[in-house]
Amino acid sequence: MTDSCQLVLVEYNYYLVFGGAEMDLVLGTLKQVDLREAWKNEAYDFTPWVSENMDLLGKALGIDLELVATEKSVGGYSLDILAIDTSTGDYVAIENQLEQTDHSHLGQLITYASGVGATAAIWISANVRDEHRQAVEWLNESTNSNLAFFAVQVELLQIDNSAPAPNFKVIASPNDWTKNEISNVDKSDKQKLYHQFFTDVLNMVKAEMPGITNATKVGYDNWFNYKAGKTGIMYGLAFKAGNKFGCELYIATDSKEKNEEIFDIMFAQKAEIEAVLGPLSWERLDHRKASRIAALTDVTSYEEGLLIELKKWAVENLNKFRNVFGDKLKAI
C-alpha cells in the first residue's frame, strides 16, 4: 500500500482510497446532551460559565462583549450578567434560564435592561418557546433603532463519546436591515459618512486581522472601538475636533486610579513605544476618569480619494497599536 490517499464519492457513499485499497470513511453521530450534565445550577454554574466565555456568546451574536458584573443589583433584584459592547461602550443586559422560556423571565429581562440603561438585552435559555420568539421579534420591530433584543438557545452537542461542546443558537434578533433603513431617515449627512467609513474599515480589519472582532455592523457615531483583551481597555478609531483623526489606546476601566496607573506604566516606556508608532498624544486626562494614548493625522477634506487613504491609515495604525500594546497589556 502506498502513502497516497484520496476521498472519492461512489453512489453517495464516501470512501478513503489508500493506494488502490478502499476504506469506508467513518462518520460520527451528533447528539444533544442534557444541559444539567454540565451545569447543575443556573446561578452557581451556568452564569459563571457564561461570564467567563463572553467571546463565545459574542461570536454567535456578532458583538464584542466584555463582562462588567454578575448578579448586578437592579432595585431589589439582580441581573444575571451586565456586560458592555466594546464597539460602542453601551451596556448589555443578559438573563439566563436553564430551562424553557417563561413569561416571568421576559418581564425580568425588560425590567433589568431598563434599570441599567442597556441598549441590548440577551435572553439565554434551554428552549425558546414560539410565543417568546414572537415577543422578542415584536420588541425589535416596535422599539427604536438604538435598542436590540436577542433570544438565544444554548445547547450541548456531542459526537459519539467526545466531550460535549457548547453552542449558542440565535433564535430571534433585530432585523438590522429594517432598523438601519428606518434610522437613516433622521441621520445627518455627516453621520451617514461616519457609518459608511467605519463599515468599510470594519470589513478591511476583519480581512486583514481575522479574529480581532465579532462585530458585524457599526453605528452612526464618529468613533468605533475594538477590544484590546483587557476589560475596560479598547483600541479606538475616531474623528476628532480640529480636523483630526486618531487611532488610540483608550483606558477606561471602572477605576480612575487604575486607569492612571496603566497610563503611567505605558508612559514610562514612551521612547520604546514611539520608536515604532511615531510621536503620540499622551492624554492622562486628570480631570476625567479615562486616559488615552493616540496617534493623530490630519483630515483635510472628506473627498473620496482622501477617505480611502484615511481608511488605510486607520487599519495600518490599528494593527501597529495591537502589536505594540498587546503584550504590554497582558503583562499588567
Side-chain angles (χ1 to χ4, degrees), residues 37 50 53 65 75-76 98 191 194 196 223 230 251 253 264 267 284 291 310-311:
E37 291 189 19
V50 174
N53 291 272
L65 294 172
L98 265 187
Q191 287 176 308
Y194 293 151
Q196 188 59 57
W223 52 271
K230 289 278 187 180
I251 308 167
T253 73
D264 292 342
F267 189 76
R284 198 169 188 266
S291 296
L310 187 58
K311 292 170 191 175

Side-chain angles (χ1 to χ4, degrees), residues 15 34 49 63 74 80 103 105 135 137 145 159 166 204 215 274:
Y15 297 89
D34 186 347
W49 178 84
I63 304 173
V74 183
D80 287 337
H103 292 349
H105 276 78
E137 291 176 346
S145 61
I159 300 177
M204 293 167 66
E274 291 192 341

Side-chain angles (χ1 to χ4, degrees), residues 112-129:
Y112 298 157
S114 65
V116 297
T119 61
I122 303 170
W123 187 6
I124 303 174
S125 68
N127 183 45
V128 179
R129 295 174 59 174

